[in-house]
């Protein structure tokens, strides 16, 4: 699926390109930007699935386990980076922002009920990062390998969280034989920078 970089290349068309790519990333599982790297202030990074991008306030939504180490890190320091890359189109988008974790909000409740039962099943298991003697999914035996019912899933709800990232800056980089191009949008204001 080849898309082309914005022509004419202006700050406005690049801003639109960022929005188009993040919307596509959230809605299309096959988008190369669907699974960005999310880095936290403790110099750790991990792949997460992008669930939503809101163009009105430039927020990204992810789902995670409220008991995961990254949630504890975010309580001390909410700074995150979210790194997207489309290898075929040679576009990198580096976002920096502040993350908040929501477990009880209406957003979290809606995200939980809209998620597939298989996706919700992992929140029934042990917290991420527990040490085991053997390879383990962490799921209870009676749940392993089957689709859980809504009733079985009920105790997992408390472990589910949404992570909302308010993008403060987005650094767009296009790699090209004609000369790489780069623009940074900080709190909505764009400028060209050298690559
Ligand atoms: C393809 C892929 C998708 C993943 N998606 C998520 C996700 O959406 N949310 C999440 O919390 N972890 C996801 N993970 C697991 C994380 O990369 C990470 O291992 C886990 O969240 C624990 O991270 P932490 O120890 O930094 O808290 C995914 C891993 C892979 C390989």
């Amino acid at each position: 699926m080849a898309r082309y970089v914005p022509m004419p290349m202006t700050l406005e068309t690049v801003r639109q390109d960022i929005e188009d790519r993040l919307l596509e990333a959230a809605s299309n599982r096959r988008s190369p930007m669907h699974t960005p790297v999310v880095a936290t202030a403790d110099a750790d990074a991990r792949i997460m699935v992008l669930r939503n991008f809101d163009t009105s306030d430039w927020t990204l939504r992810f789902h995670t386990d409220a008991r995961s180490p990254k949630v504890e890190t975010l309580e001390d320091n909410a700074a995150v980076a979210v790194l997207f890359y489309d290898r075929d189109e040679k576009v990198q988008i580096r976002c920096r922002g502040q993350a908040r974790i929501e477990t009880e909000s209406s957003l979290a409740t809606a995200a939980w009920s809209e998620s597939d039962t298989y996706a919700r099943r992992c929140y029934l298991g042990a917290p991420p990062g527990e040490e085991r003697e053997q390879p383990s999914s962490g799921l209870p035996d009676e749940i392993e390998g089957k689709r859980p019912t809504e009733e079985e899933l009920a105790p997992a709800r408390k472990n589910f969280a949404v992570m909302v990232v308010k993008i403060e800056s987005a650094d767009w980089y296009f790699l090209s034989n004609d000369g790489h191009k780069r623009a940074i949008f900080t709190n909505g204001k764009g400028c060209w920078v050298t690559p």
Side-chain angles (χ1 to χ4, degrees):
M1 182 193 54
R3 284 177 75 240
Y4 297 96
V5 287
M7 291 301 275
M9 197 180 285
T10 67
L11 287 171
E12 204 32 60
T13 60
V14 171
R15 181 206 305 278
Q16 190 61 51
D17 186 69
I18 293 173
E19 292 194 352
D20 291 348
R21 286 180 190 280
L22 297 185
L23 282 171
E24 172 81 5
S27 60
N28 179 0
R29 295 175 60 193
R30 284 188 299 231
S31 161
M33 294 191 169
H34 187 55
T35 49
V37 175
V38 178
T40 36
D42 56 348
D44 208 350
R46 76 287 290 154
I47 298 288
M48 294 179 78
V49 174
L50 179 67
R51 311 287 172 166
N52 186 253
F53 170 61
D54 189 335
T55 52
S56 69
D57 58 358
W58 277 36
T59 52
L60 305 166
R61 174 163 59 84
F62 300 90
H63 295 172
T64 196
D65 194 308
R67 304 164 297 172
S68 63
K70 72 178 91 49
V71 169
E72 208 178 326
T73 302
L74 290 169
E75 276 163 15
D76 285 343
N77 189 335
V80 290
V82 185
L83 178 62
F84 299 89
Y85 176 48
D86 186 326
R87 179 194 161 103
D88 291 338
E89 300 196 3
K90 301 183 168 60
V91 173
Q92 168 183 262
I93 302 173
R94 289 161 75 188
C95 297
R96 300 175 78 181
Q98 299 289 312
R100 63 172 194 271
I101 296 290
E102 297 183 6
T103 52
E104 309 274 303
S105 66
S106 54
L107 180 68
T109 303
W112 174 256
S113 46
E114 284 160 20
S115 292
D116 176 75
T117 43
Y118 268 127
R120 286 185 274 164
R121 188 180 59 171
C122 53
Y123 300 96
L124 271 173
E130 262 188 14
E131 207 169 310
R132 291 293 156 94
E133 296 289 325
Q134 301 288 334
S136 165
S137 69
L139 289 172
D141 288 345
E142 64 279 13
I143 294 295
E144 189 112 45
K146 76 180 254 280
R147 185 182 281 278
T149 63
E150 289 292 335
E151 202 179 11
E152 285 169 326
L153 279 171
R157 169 63 185 90
K158 63 179 185 314
N159 300 327
F160 174 79
V162 293
M163 183 180 113
V164 180
V165 175
K166 169 79 181 99
I167 299 176
E168 293 172 338
S169 73
D171 179 335
W172 179 94
Y173 188 115
F174 174 53
L175 197 77
S176 163
N177 288 338
D178 295 339
H180 314 322
K181 303 291 183 309
R182 184 176 174 206
I184 301 183
F185 296 82
T186 307
N187 293 321
K189 191 178 175 316
C191 66
W192 296 109
V193 288
T194 52

